[in-house]
Amino acid sequence: MTRQAAKFLGVSVLSGAVLAGLALPAVGAFGLAAKGSVEGFDEIPASMKTPPLSQRTTILDAKGGEIAKVYSRDRTVVPLNEISPYMQQAIVAIEDARFYEHGAVDLKGVLRALNKNAQSGGVSEGASTLTQQYVKNIFVEEAGDDPAKVAVATQQTLGRKVKELKYAIQVEKELGKKRILNNYLNITFFGQQSYGVEAAAQRYFSKRAKDLTLEESALLAGIVQSPSRFDPVNAPKEATKRRNMVLQRMADLKNITPAEATAAQAKPLTLKITRPKSGCITAVDGAGFFCDYVRETFLQDPAFGKTKEARAKRWNEGGMTIRTTLDPQTQKSVQKSISDHVYQNDSVATAVSIVEPGTGKVLGMGQSRPYGFGPNQTQINLSADKAQGGSNFGFQVGSTFKPIVAAAALEEGYSAGKSYSSPYRMEYPSSIKTCDGTWKNGEGATVANENKSEIGPYGMREATAKSVNTYFIQLVEDIGLCPVTKMASKMGLKPADGGKFAQVPALTLGGSDGMSPLSMAAAYATFANGGKYCTPVLISSATGPNGKGITVPKTQCSRAMSEQTANTVNTLLQGVVEDGTGKEAGLSGRDSAGKTGTTDERRAAWFVGYTPNMAGAVWVGGPGDKVEMENITIGGVYHDKVYGADTPGPIWRDAMSGALEDKPAPSFDTVAIGGGDRNRGRDNGDDSGTGNGKPGKNKPGGGNGGKHNPPGSGRTGGTGGR
């Protein structure tokens, strides 16, 4: 060890500097881990790569209101002129009193430390300058949250000290004293999750760094040496003693008068704690899941970095201001409607998403189970696909899928006046064409309507209003399943688990693959937008730590169907809310359209609807898809059976009414639809499906057996779900 010390000092002298920060004790008792060899001083690169300091990122709504702050490290970088002069004096006084007199190395400090350590036989005093401490903090910052890298960055070895010295010399040349002090105050750790003096001032005193008083500055400066030992929250006596030591040191250096020091020392600690708030769990107005979706978008979209690692690094560095599409009026209305209709501790939950047709902007997103880790809370975004933090399989959508079937048929040239016999019960067709071949009904699987009175013939308008299962099965027998899956894809729909649609008849009735509320809202927005589908977007703009703009992904719009088809579906779905199954969801004073849906055993109920300027989807069910919603109380209201009309419908109505208040009320372009209907009185009952397919492997069932039907096979059963 003596030879290592000699070599180390020799290298330093030959390089024209003396090692600072390594206070050598007498006769080889280093008190340091002397592992590894000492790297040649001249072999160390002259310039040091300085990583950007990780800072808070602020997420804003569309009006500029704050949704949440997120950060890897709670830090806000501020210039020196926004830091109290007392703070600047205090940190220099206690950490490096000769800071303005020496270079990167304080030779006098080294000699003093050597003398003290020789007397004590160990390391009782260090001699690192502020510059060297700043360099060490850079190493720690670069290590991030990787424990192994942090250990390497802080290990007490001769090799690391040599590197620290070389870089400190370079930093002194390049930056100068004021910038070094500024950088040091912004990078150093002040305890209690606070990095940098601005975050520390907010944490302990709930004020800006520029407003720190003498005694507050002395307290913060004293913390730096040992943030845990001198923590004013958990160790106020130790913190007070340390603060008073700093004040005395400032008086000794004539930064303040002895009288000022005495007066400040007599004052008690007066903390005004602001608890650190980080992450989407702190989001306002129930927007935690929207906030989390913003993070998922950032981490997954190549617009923010070519690789997953690059995007994660950029997110963790933070310092960004991200303006989103969230409309505060819409979000408040969504959250109020949710809390009015479904309670947090109910056995079922609800999720609501609202988007803007033509722009893809997500205007609102909420759910009854809040973002969190406690009882009846969750981190699963029930509005999203699995890849964006949603449930593993999404939720079967019931009859809300029928308008997609209707659009596919219209695009294939079928008339909205097309009539089918539509019996109460029928066998599935013996075969139906798929994209890859033919599906065959090998087990005699059957499908039925909700009510025995529902017997055709029906045309498309009345069949849609009444949600007649057998009509749509007869329709898909004619057009085949391939046009349906292609139409769904063009409207942005896909199974929430990221797989492909199962080409089985149950798909027609929304009873095969699970989907998410956001996907359904965006798909229905296609009808409102004249047949053009626009991908959902949540971020409208972003700026980096330097205030420069960051390119954000834009919505991509493409034609999914003709305008004539979209207008025809608008006409069909207006009938649903005017005098069909969705009457309870209708809006007053403006055009609206939509569709109800309820799945087998009432495990999910939906309403998806829209106006010309807003589209929304509401799902209600057990988050694990296991609650049968019969004889159940939801939001304090008892239901013998839950339908898409009586629970999701009113949630949609109230959420949309508040969101659209004082907004324009344009009208739909509609078309005349004739023929096929018997013009019987409409009812507003809701049909749960009666198909009989077994659950699909590793997915929610494609219908789980109507109780009057023989066993099905695969995912051939259905849910009608009005």
Side-chain angles (χ1 to χ4, degrees), residues 238-256:
E238 286 293 312
T240 301
K241 287 165 60 176
R242 179 69 174 168
R243 178 201 70 175
N244 292 347
M245 182 186 297
V246 175
L247 289 166
Q248 185 58 52
R249 187 68 174 143
M250 293 176 73
D252 293 343
L253 295 171
K254 300 187 180 347
N255 297 136
I256 57 176

Side-chain angles (χ1 to χ4, degrees), residues 81-228:
N81 62 8
E82 292 186 19
I83 300 173
S84 166
Y86 286 129
M87 187 67 221
Q88 299 177 42
Q89 293 169 344
I91 199 71
V92 170
I94 197 64
E95 290 295 321
D96 187 0
R98 289 171 33 80
F99 175 63
Y100 292 106
E101 300 169 28
H102 61 67
V105 179
D106 182 6
L107 183 56
K108 187 180 291 186
V110 172
L111 294 174
R112 183 183 65 249
L114 282 169
N115 183 50
K116 270 206 167 187
N117 293 336
Q119 292 174 12
S120 67
V123 179
S124 62
E125 181 172 322
S128 290
T129 63
L130 271 183
T131 306
Q132 287 174 274
Q133 291 182 47
Y134 168 57
V135 170
K136 180 180 176 180
N137 273 302
I138 289 175
F139 293 156
V140 173
E141 186 75 19
E142 194 170 24
D145 297 322
D146 187 322
K149 290 181 179 179
V150 171
V152 171
T154 57
Q155 64 185 339
Q156 291 287 67
T157 64
L158 297 179
R160 187 187 66 77
K161 283 292 185 179
V162 171
K163 184 181 291 186
E164 180 183 293
L165 171 64
K166 179 71 176 280
Y167 288 145
I169 294 170
Q170 189 65 27
V171 165
E172 284 271 352
K173 289 180 180 178
E174 292 181 354
L175 299 184
K177 295 295 185 180
K178 285 190 176 181
R179 285 183 62 189
I180 291 170
L181 178 60
N182 187 208
N183 291 358
Y184 177 82
L185 285 169
N186 277 306
I187 198 173
T188 199
F189 181 51
F190 287 88
Q192 293 284 334
Q193 302 181 39
S194 302
Y195 290 82
V197 67
E198 180 73 8
Q202 293 285 353
R203 173 73 173 108
Y204 296 111
F205 304 113
S206 300
K207 61 171 57 175
R208 298 287 307 276
K210 67 181 181 180
D211 299 322
L212 289 169
T213 63
L214 170 60
E215 59 272 14
E216 291 168 349
S217 298
L219 179 71
L220 294 186
I223 292 173
V224 171
Q225 185 186 79
S226 180
S228 57

Side-chain angles (χ1 to χ4, degrees), residues 634-655:
I634 303 174
V637 178
Y638 174 78
H639 302 264
D640 56 349
K641 294 181 180 180
V642 170
Y643 298 100
D646 66 8
T647 304
I651 295 172
W652 183 90
R653 178 197 63 217
D654 292 352

